[in-house]
Amino acid sequence: MKYLLILTFLFIKCNSQNKNIIPVTKSFKVVHSNLINENDLDKYELADYGKIRNEQAPIGDQISRMWQNFGKPETIMFEGFDYYIQDEKSGVIFIAYFGAGGPAYASSKDDIPKINAIIKDFENLLDNSINADCEIEIQNDFGTFLCGAKNGIPYDREK
C-alpha cells in the first residue's frame, strides 16, 4: 500500500511539471455573417492555413472540433464549411473554414498583421478540444461525403 501511494505521488508530480502543456483559454465567439458588413467581407483574404489534425478524416476532425466549441457551422458549401469567429480580446473577426485547399483562415487585409497570434491561440483551442458527435454532408468533385465524428472518432466517408 505504501509503495502504491509513493508511485501515485510520483506520477502526479511528474505529470504536473510537464512544461509542454499550454493553457487553453476560450476567448472566441461565433459571429453570424448577417452581422458583418458585406463590403467588409469583400476585403477578406487568406491569412493562414490551418493544421490538419487527423489526416485520415481531415474534414470530420476539423468540423467536430469546431462543432464542440461553436455549434453547427454558419455555412456548408461546396467542398467544406465556414465559421465567422471573433477574438474577444482584440475584437478581430476572422473566418475559420475548410475549403478545397483544406483548413484555412481568412481575415480583413487590415487585420493580417494581428492574425498570426490569434490563429495560434485558436489552433491551441482546437488541439485541446474533443471531437463532438456531429455530421455534415459535403459535395465535392468526387461526390457526396458525410463528414463528422461518432463516439469521438472523426470520419469522412462517401455517401
Side-chain angles (χ1 to χ4, degrees):
M1 182 68 158
K2 180 170 107 175
Y3 294 109
L4 182 59
L5 288 173
I6 292 170
L7 287 173
T8 304
F9 172 76
L10 289 173
F11 178 77
I12 292 169
K13 186 77 172 153
C14 288
N15 284 335
S16 68
Q17 292 180 349
N18 186 345
K19 304 289 187 214
N20 295 327
I21 295 174
I22 300 169
V24 178
T25 58
K26 185 175 175 182
S27 64
F28 301 99
K29 68 178 182 179
V30 170
V31 177
H32 295 284
S33 61
N34 62 347
L35 299 176
I36 302 170
N37 184 323
E38 200 169 308
N39 292 330
D40 291 341
L41 284 177
D42 290 339
K43 298 174 190 168
Y44 275 52
E45 61 182 40
L46 177 68
D48 199 358
Y49 291 99
K51 294 188 291 184
I52 294 178
R53 287 152 190 78
N54 179 339
E55 292 186 24
Q56 298 301 315
I59 301 172
D61 194 45
Q62 182 84 6
I63 188 65
S64 63
R65 289 171 190 266
M66 296 287 294
W67 198 300
Q68 177 65 31
N69 291 286
F70 306 107
K72 190 175 179 180
E74 172 84 16
T75 309
I76 297 173
M77 57 195 170
F78 188 74
E79 297 184 331
F81 59 88
D82 62 18
Y83 288 83
Y84 296 84
I85 305 291
Q86 183 175 35
D87 173 45
E88 293 182 303
K89 292 177 197 168
S90 67
V92 170
I93 296 174
F94 61 96
I95 304 170
Y97 66 96
F98 198 104
Y105 301 97
S107 71
S108 165
K109 290 178 189 180
D110 297 338
D111 291 331
I112 297 278
K114 301 178 219 171
I115 202 74
N116 287 336
I118 293 168
I119 289 172
K120 185 177 178 182
D121 288 346
F122 190 77
E123 288 277 340
N124 183 45
L125 172 68
L126 294 181
D127 282 342
N128 289 286
S129 297
I130 62 171
N131 298 96
D133 285 355
C134 63
E135 183 175 83
I136 60 173
E137 187 174 296
I138 293 180
Q139 307 262 333
N140 66 25
D141 292 336
F142 304 103
T144 303
F145 290 82
L146 300 174
C147 306
K150 178 80 172 164
N151 298 323
I153 309 295
Y155 61 85
D156 296 340
R157 67 172 175 260
E158 196 165 359
K159 183 173 179 184

